[in-house]
Amino acid sequence: MKSIYTFYLLCAGAILFSAASCTKLNEEFRGELEEGTSNVSADGLLITAYSSLLVPYQQDQRWVLQEISTDAAIAPTRGGDWDDNGIYRAIHQHRWNADNGFMNSTFVSLGTTVYNATNVLRFNPSKQQEAEARFLRALAMFDMIDLYGVVTIREGEALDDFRIAPKVLQAGEGLDYIIKELNEILPALPNGQLTAAYVASKDAARALLMKVYLNKGAFLNRQSPSFDAADMNQVITLAKAITNTGTYKVSEAGKYFDNFAPDNDVKSTENIFTLYNQNGKRGGSVDRTWNTIAHYNMTPGGWNGWCTLSDYYDKFAASDERRGIYYKYPADTMSNPGKRQNVGFYIGQMYNLTTDKPLMARNPANTPLVFTRAVTIRTSGATLETAGIRPMKYAYDYSSSGQKNNDWVVFRYSDVLLMQAEAVLRGGTGSTAGEVLALINKIRGNRGIGALGSLTLDNVLDERARELYWEGWRRQDLIRFGKFLQPFQEKPGTSDPKYLVFAIPSQQIAVNPNLKQNPGY
């Protein structure tokens, strides 16, 4: 008997096909139901719901929209490579439209997670399984509201009859739904200290609630965000609740990259919620974090694509561990006799990490492989292969020839502390400016940079840029701080305010009459 989940995925969430295209499948499915459903369990469906987040998060889809649309990342066209009909250039330069493929693929993936999580609730889950599924649904809903200003959800009869279009919640209604859900499920979720970070916990729900309250005013009015004191107080209360568990601490000096290592599930002191990757079991293409930035002649060879911009790189002091170090970890099987940098921002001459010999470019082969500060959105000529500083945050898992074992980080304790500090500066009470300054200086000290004498919102934004680089939060941060539309490298002009939210994909509007296009598109 075919898996019931297979049918659901075909027609799930954000509709990929017209409602009519699922009619025959629906008839076949109902026939199979009569034969029994013994091979379907809440446990298996819950794993599917977790796994469905891997594609949008692990340096793809959602990640592209959140980072390449900002000053933190660029996917330059390199001659004939990485052109893709201008899809990346449009995202970086704020020129996208409703037909951009990343708009649609991300909408579909997040909508599928919303559906998969809801589907768990139909198969007699335990209280904890139900709570985990509702957390995953809330996370995907939050992302949809962030990116598109709306969220689609199937409930009631629409879960069985795909001729019924998904319901559409506007931002305010969707945020209220998420807040209610997370507060209801908190008692049934496990404590963070009793479970692995890849299992939704009370602290994961608190961290998501912090994101909701901190961004609520920006989601409701992106051009002129406001920050209600009651919402900021919630952020501070939730941050203190996470701290008071005693489960987490800012990673010690030299240990920042423990949070992203192949064995980060056992060594990180910060990770609150992650996405599971283990060779031979399950996971996604977390090695995209290497492939998208590595040159063909590095070990292993990559796709020689994405990079950061020099203005962003210059936010880091030379002593800042986050900028790049030689990081010793068990899955690094390279002998690395020169103790060359193997994590962080790659700039300058690259080396063979086994022989310590300088690497050369591919074409021409007599050109040293020297990654440059300068990069243009259309790159050609002598620096075609070498233009751009390459960030490598997830230490490469050389020990695995298959699926890499680094769990993808969604929520981290340092982010919690940075959100707490921001909430205080935005009018929240319950913590003082002195208390949160000490928290930020703890982060800075452990990363190898000096203490701040006082704290401003600009300080917080810059510290978020350094601490959370390439983790998928930069666009959200810039919108909340009112800076997303401003010019940055390779985006010379001020953007139209319509770009504060992405276009609803035209493919989705075509099949869901409840969806209306965002203004300006």
Side-chain angles (χ1 to χ4, degrees), residues 289-362:
T289 61
W290 173 267
N291 292 333
T292 50
I293 66 102
H295 185 270
Y296 319 107
N297 291 344
M298 296 173 76
T299 303
W303 306 330
N304 197 44
W306 305 350
C307 50
T308 195
L309 296 146
S310 59
D311 285 353
Y312 195 88
Y313 176 77
D314 289 342
K315 294 180 183 294
F316 295 79
S319 62
D320 196 329
E321 174 185 338
R322 297 167 294 193
R323 197 174 83 161
I325 58 171
Y326 166 67
Y327 172 64
K328 185 176 177 59
Y329 59 104
D332 181 11
T333 60
M334 300 291 100
S335 57
N336 202 344
K339 298 295 184 285
R340 301 289 180 182
Q341 174 187 332
N342 54 6
V343 286
F345 293 86
Y346 286 75
I347 184 172
Q349 176 68 57
M350 296 296 106
Y351 292 85
N352 182 305
L353 298 183
T354 299
T355 66
D356 206 38
K357 291 182 178 179
L359 289 173
M360 308 300 283
R362 185 176 65 173

Side-chain angles (χ1 to χ4, degrees), residues 23 124 151 156 183 216 383 389 398 432:
T23 302
N124 300 313
V151 61
N183 281 311
K216 185 197 294 186
T383 62
I389 303 163
Y398 292 98
T432 67

Side-chain angles (χ1 to χ4, degrees), residues 126-139:
S126 67
K127 288 293 185 182
Q128 180 175 325
Q129 287 173 330
E130 176 186 340
E132 289 179 51
R134 291 168 70 183
F135 167 82
L136 296 172
R137 179 171 65 182
L139 176 59

Side-chain angles (χ1 to χ4, degrees), residues 21-79:
S21 70
C22 287
T23 302
K24 190 172 189 300
L25 285 172
N26 202 27
E27 292 170 357
E28 293 173 357
F29 168 67
R30 290 182 182 282
E32 288 181 356
L33 270 182
E34 295 172 2
E35 299 173 14
T37 59
S38 59
N39 67 331
V40 178
S41 69
D43 185 60
L45 293 173
L46 182 60
I47 290 173
T48 297
Y50 274 105
S51 297
S52 62
L53 282 171
L54 295 171
V55 172
Y57 266 84
Q58 293 190 164
Q59 207 150 310
D60 201 353
Q61 297 181 355
R62 173 197 175 276
W63 187 95
V64 168
L65 299 184
Q66 295 283 20
E67 295 286 348
I68 289 182
S69 64
T70 76
D71 59 342
I74 186 172
T77 298
R78 300 180 184 273

Side-chain angles (χ1 to χ4, degrees), residues 169-296:
L169 304 180
Q170 299 301 314
E173 186 181 7
L175 293 174
D176 288 345
Y177 185 104
I178 293 168
I179 291 169
K180 181 174 182 292
E181 283 280 285
L182 292 173
N183 281 311
E184 285 181 359
I185 65 175
L186 260 171
L189 288 169
N191 293 318
Q193 66 267 36
L194 300 178
T195 190
Y198 50 76
V199 176
S201 66
K202 286 180 172 64
D203 296 325
R206 290 172 180 136
L208 179 52
L209 273 169
M210 289 180 70
K211 292 282 185 187
V212 173
Y213 284 118
L214 189 63
N215 288 283
K216 185 197 294 186
F219 288 178
L220 297 178
N221 187 345
R222 295 175 190 247
Q223 280 190 259
S224 300
S226 60
F227 301 92
D228 184 78
D231 291 337
M232 299 304 101
N233 289 343
Q234 289 280 6
V235 173
I236 295 165
T237 298
L238 290 160
K240 288 191 167 186
I242 292 171
T243 295
N244 290 340
T245 66
T247 305
Y248 314 97
K249 66 177 183 178
V250 176
S251 51
E252 299 295 336
K255 301 295 185 181
Y256 175 73
F257 291 98
D258 282 0
N259 300 308
F260 313 99
D263 54 349
N264 59 350
D265 58 324
V266 297
K267 67 167 50 168
S268 171
T269 63
E270 292 194 28
N271 290 345
I272 296 172
F273 182 63
T274 62
L275 302 181
Y276 184 85
N277 289 289
Q278 185 170 348
N279 189 30
K281 291 192 175 181
R282 71 179 196 269
S285 300
V286 72
D287 51 353
R288 284 182 61 88
T289 61
W290 173 267
N291 292 333
T292 50
I293 66 102
H295 185 270
Y296 319 107

Side-chain angles (χ1 to χ4, degrees), residues 61 91 109 123 133 136 150 157 186 247 249 303 308 320 323 341 360 401 405 413 416 424 426-427 447 460 472 507:
Q61 297 181 355
I91 292 171
S109 290
F123 289 89
L136 296 172
V150 299
E157 293 182 1
L186 260 171
T247 305
K249 66 177 183 178
W303 306 330
T308 195
D320 196 329
R323 197 174 83 161
Q341 174 187 332
M360 308 300 283
S401 60
N405 292 301
Y413 183 55
V416 166
V424 169
R426 296 196 186 279
R447 307 309 183 225
V460 171
Q507 299 96 317

